[in-house]
C-alpha cells in the first residue's frame, strides 16, 4: 500500500489517477543536488493502479534525468485552467523516485512499444524510464482544502 492509499483510501487514489491520466501535459519539477530547480513539460507520466507514477525521458542532454539521479524528490503538476488563477484546479503531486532504468528488460519493453506506435526514430530517443511513489498531494491553489475541492466558494 502506498502512502497516498493509506492516507486517502482507494477511492481518492482512483480519483487522482483518473484526473492525472486524463490530463496529457503535465509539469515535472526537479532540483539538482545543490538545489538548482528545473521544470519540464511532460506528456508521458501515468499513474498505475497501485499509485506508482511512471514516465519516460527521451532528451539526449536531459537536465531532468541528471537532477533525479542526484535528488530523488520530484513534484508533478496537473491542472485545469480557470477564469482567473484562483479558479485553477488540479494537483501538485509530490513523489520520491524509486527506480531509474537506463538499460535492461523494462526499458527495452517500453522501447519496443514506442517503436510499434511511433517508429524507429522515437524509439531510439528513449533514454530512461522512471518510477515514483507518491508522498503527498496538494491542490494547485492551496487554501487548506483537499486537492479535488475548489479553493474558494463564492
Amino acid at each position: 500500500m502506498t502512502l497516498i492509499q493509506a492516507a486517502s483510501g482507494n477511492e481518492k487514489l482512483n480519483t487522482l489517477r483518473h484526473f492525472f491520466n486524463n490530463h496529457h501535459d503535465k509539469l515535472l519539477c526537479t532540483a539538482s543536488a545543490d538545489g538548482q530547480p528545473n521544470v519540464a513539460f511532460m506528456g508521458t507520466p501515468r499513474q498505475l493502479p497501485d499509485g506508482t507514477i511512471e514516465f519516460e525521458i527521451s532528451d539526449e542532454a536531459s537536465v531532468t534525468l541528471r537532477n533525479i539521479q542526484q535528488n530523488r524528490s520530484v513534484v508533478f503538476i496537473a491542472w485545469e485552467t480557470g477564469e482567473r488563477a484562483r479558479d485553477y484546479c488540479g494537483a501538485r503531486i509530490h513523489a520520491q523516485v524509486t527506480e531509474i532504468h537506463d538499460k535492461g528488460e523494462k526499458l527495452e519493453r517500453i522501447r519496443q512499444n514506442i517503436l510499434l506506435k511511433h517508429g524507429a526514430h522515437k524509439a531510439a530517443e528513449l533514454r530512461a524510464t522512471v518510477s515514483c511513489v507518491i508522498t503527498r498531494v496538494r491542490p494547485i491553489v492551496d487554501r487548506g482544502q483537499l486537492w479535488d475541492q475548489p479553493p474558494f466558494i463564492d
Side-chain angles (χ1 to χ4, degrees):
M1 179 177 291
T2 65
L3 230 146
I4 192 75
Q5 283 175 306
S8 303
N10 285 331
E11 186 177 322
K12 282 290 187 193
L13 177 64
N14 288 335
T15 301
L16 179 64
R17 185 174 64 248
H18 178 77
F19 179 80
F20 189 78
N21 290 346
N22 287 292
H23 288 80
H24 181 268
D25 299 322
K26 301 161 190 85
L27 296 177
L28 174 58
C29 309
T30 62
S32 65
D34 65 353
Q36 293 299 311
N38 182 61
V39 178
F41 205 50
M42 304 288 285
T44 64
R46 62 210 168 274
Q47 187 180 357
L48 306 179
D50 69 356
T52 302
I53 294 177
E54 290 188 342
F55 64 96
E56 283 68 54
I57 296 176
S58 296
D59 300 337
E60 181 65 42
S62 176
V63 172
T64 299
L65 181 57
R66 195 167 49 251
N67 281 358
I68 63 174
Q69 289 168 332
Q70 297 173 11
N71 177 350
R72 296 207 170 211
S73 295
V74 300
V75 177
F76 295 91
I77 300 176
W79 70 94
E80 290 179 348
T81 59
E83 188 175 315
R84 302 170 295 179
R86 70 180 249 164
D87 299 324
Y88 276 48
C89 64
R92 293 184 254 183
I93 303 168
H94 298 251
Q96 195 70 25
V97 172
T98 56
E99 297 178 323
I100 303 170
H101 294 278
D102 58 4
K103 59 184 173 227
E105 184 180 321
K106 183 175 184 176
L107 185 70
E108 290 310 314
R109 188 174 58 249
I110 292 169
R111 189 183 314 277
Q112 191 63 30
N113 288 339
I114 293 170
L115 176 68
L116 294 173
K117 287 182 179 178
H118 305 289
H121 178 73
K122 284 290 183 193
E125 291 177 346
L126 182 62
R127 299 289 169 247
T129 185
V130 180
S131 299
C132 307
V133 63
I134 297 170
T135 58
R136 188 169 98 176
V137 180
R138 293 178 54 213
I140 287 288
V141 179
D142 193 347
R143 307 292 289 192
Q145 80 284 8
L146 297 175
W147 76 268
D148 58 345
Q149 295 177 338
F152 298 94
I153 299 174
D154 293 330

